[in-house]
């Protein structure tokens, strides 16, 4: 399974080129101990990359099954330390801890998946396209500034 696989550490990539690198990848792996915004996850999802991650930020929520989706596109994730019945997009795995053996096992499962995920569709369903997020922010600011007596930033 791993005989022709390589890990490439690219260093800083021009933001205009990032999508090309995601498209070349087989899997997105992140063992972060903290994540505030998770843009790298969204980028990987938009490119349909299978994902292995630790449980940080909103990654589990982003990858989670929506109740109206059929179960045939999803997998149930089991942690080595406890069972977790959160259903995630097929090919995506979230570790409950940072145990290297667990992460390695999940990475092998992800590499065995050998196809793109439905991540891009999930982003669109969750309203996380750039245009959707921008509209939500504009609506929030419009609401704030339209309140009586509010005419400047605080």
């Amino acid at each position: 399974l791993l005989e022709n696989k390589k890990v490439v550490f690219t260093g800083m990539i021009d933001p205009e080129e990032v999508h090309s690198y995601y498209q070349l990848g087989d899997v997105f792996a992140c063992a972060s101990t903290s994540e505030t915004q998770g843009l790298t996850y969204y980028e990987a999802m938009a490119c349909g990359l299978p994902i292995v991650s630790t449980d940080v930020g909103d990654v589990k929520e982003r990858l989670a099954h929506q109740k109206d989706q059929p179960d045939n596109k999803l997998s149930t994730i089991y942690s080595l330390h406890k069972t977790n019945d959160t259903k995630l997009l097929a090919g995506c795995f979230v570790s409950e801890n940072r145990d290297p053996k667990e992460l390695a096992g999940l990475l092998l499962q992800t590499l065995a998946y050998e196809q793109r995920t439905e991540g891009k569709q999930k982003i669109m369903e969750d309203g996380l396209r750039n245009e959707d997020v921008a509209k939500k922010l504009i609506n929030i600011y419009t609401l704030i500034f339209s309140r009586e007596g509010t005419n400047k930033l605080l």
Side-chain angles (χ1 to χ4, degrees):
L1 183 64
L2 294 176
E3 63 247 7
N4 293 323
K5 302 290 182 187
K6 293 185 214 176
V7 175
V8 178
F9 295 97
T10 62
M12 184 65 170
I13 302 295
D14 182 318
E16 298 296 320
E17 306 278 326
V18 168
H19 70 281
S20 299
Y21 284 81
Y22 281 113
Q23 291 296 335
L24 292 171
D26 294 315
V27 64
F28 175 80
C30 187
S32 178
T33 57
S34 66
E35 192 63 50
T36 57
Q37 199 168 21
L39 291 178
T40 56
Y41 296 98
Y42 301 161
E43 292 168 340
M45 287 176 70
C47 291
L49 278 176
I51 295 173
V52 172
S53 174
T54 50
D55 188 9
V56 294
D58 69 346
V59 69
K60 193 184 294 182
E61 179 184 339
R62 285 301 125 230
L63 298 174
H65 162 53
Q66 291 179 343
K67 297 187 182 356
D68 59 349
Q69 292 176 330
D71 282 345
N72 63 350
K73 289 189 177 180
L74 305 164
S75 59
T76 302
I77 305 308
Y78 298 98
S79 169
L80 292 176
H81 299 288
K82 66 178 184 176
T83 303
N84 174 347
D85 20 334
T86 301
K87 293 181 179 179
L88 304 179
L89 289 172
C92 297
F93 299 91
V94 176
S95 171
E96 294 292 323
N97 58 56
R98 289 169 185 78
D99 177 59
K101 288 181 182 179
E102 179 180 3
L103 289 167
L106 294 176
L107 190 55
L108 287 173
Q109 289 180 57
T110 304
L111 287 168
Y113 186 67
E114 295 186 338
Q115 57 187 327
R116 295 294 181 182
T117 70
E118 299 286 331
K120 183 175 182 176
Q121 180 178 343
K122 178 80 167 77
I123 284 175
M124 291 173 25
E125 289 170 359
D126 287 353
L128 294 173
R129 294 177 319 137
N130 290 341
E131 296 84 4
D132 298 332
V133 173
K135 285 178 186 175
K136 289 175 187 176
L137 287 172
I138 289 169
N139 289 338
I140 289 169
Y141 284 117
T142 301
L143 178 66
I144 290 169
F145 288 119
S146 67
R147 291 187 178 176
E148 189 175 333
T150 305
N151 58 10
K152 62 180 179 177
L153 286 174
L154 300 176

